[in-house]
Amino acid sequence: MSEVRIRPRQVLVLIIVFIFVLLMVHRNGKRTCQGPEYLQAMYTKSLTDTLPKIYAITPTYSRPAQKAELTRLSHLFMLVPNLHWIIVEDANSTTALVRNVLLRAGLTDRFTQLNIKTPPEFKLQGKDPNWIKPRGVEQRNLALNWLRSHADVDRHAIVFFMDDDNSYALELFVEMSKIKPGRVGIWPVGLVGGLMVERPLLNEENKVIGFNAAWRPERPFPIDMAAFAISMDLFFKYPQAAFSYEVQRGYQESEILRYLTTSDQLQPLANNCRDVLVWHTRTEKTKLNAEEMLQRQGKRSDEGIEV
Ligand code: UGA
Ligand code: MN
């Protein structure tokens, strides 16, 4: 039987290869911004450090699925300690339904409930596909006015425009806490613009040099509302920054951003725009044909029950 002899040099090479592989695995683990260790590390730090306050601005309107959507978001916010939710109802007055969702989630002093009704000429009419007219213009502008008159000018904070029907990962709020004063943070959005993911393209220095958008790529910022958040000081610096009905479909994001930043000044987040932490999901319109039949007979399934 021939004896296999391992020379000390081979052992050394093997050890070096092993250490190298170990280091690579460790580094890869560190680079991603997803997972429980990452969250724990960030939020433990937040107990000692001071994370900037995140003002999430959400327009919302009454429809059968409203409470379900808002409950989903409110339970996410129970996990985000540095969040203040400015929820703006597209209605003539604020409602108990919305207030109760906020209170049930224990967001007691971490929300502001406002209301402003979209003027009828800008409201969607029965058969219009809901993308014909811009949504949330009035509501987001009211929230910005509220911020400019109520928020502390001297404290670094973040502003994020948040649809009530998207799906948000908790890690997204950790990421946007990293936005520097004077900057706009940016990251990919899943399931939007006809693509699996819409994202900014970065060069080797991790600067934004373009976007992969397929839908209206000629827009100055061809991105979705969920793709960015803004350092609040920019809203004080540029008091005229606002949303507008006067822009083409799909230009609301470009409209607000054109006041505040340029593409090369965007701050890439979410693992240099490689992680998807938000999805532009849209809830199917609720079918209520049986309910309508019941109601024609003067009955309803939700008599005395808030759904
Ligand atoms: C996409 C973007 O994700 C929106 O942020 C952007 O406002 C919109 O396009 C646009 O270009 O206007 P999409 O998902 O199609 O939005 O819009 P919705 O989710 O239906 O509406 C955006 C927000 O406005 C939601 O939070 C919704 O609750 C609210 N909204 C919608 C109202 O307050 N009133 C309405 O009549 C309709
Ligand atoms: Mn939406």
Side-chain angles (χ1 to χ4, degrees), residues 4 19 23 86 91 95 107 162 186 229 235:
V4 181
I19 291 175
L23 276 174
I86 308 178
T95 63
L107 301 176
M162 194 166 180
I186 188 157
F235 285 106

Side-chain angles (χ1 to χ4, degrees), residues 163 165-166 280:
D163 282 15
D165 58 346
N166 289 341
H280 185 255

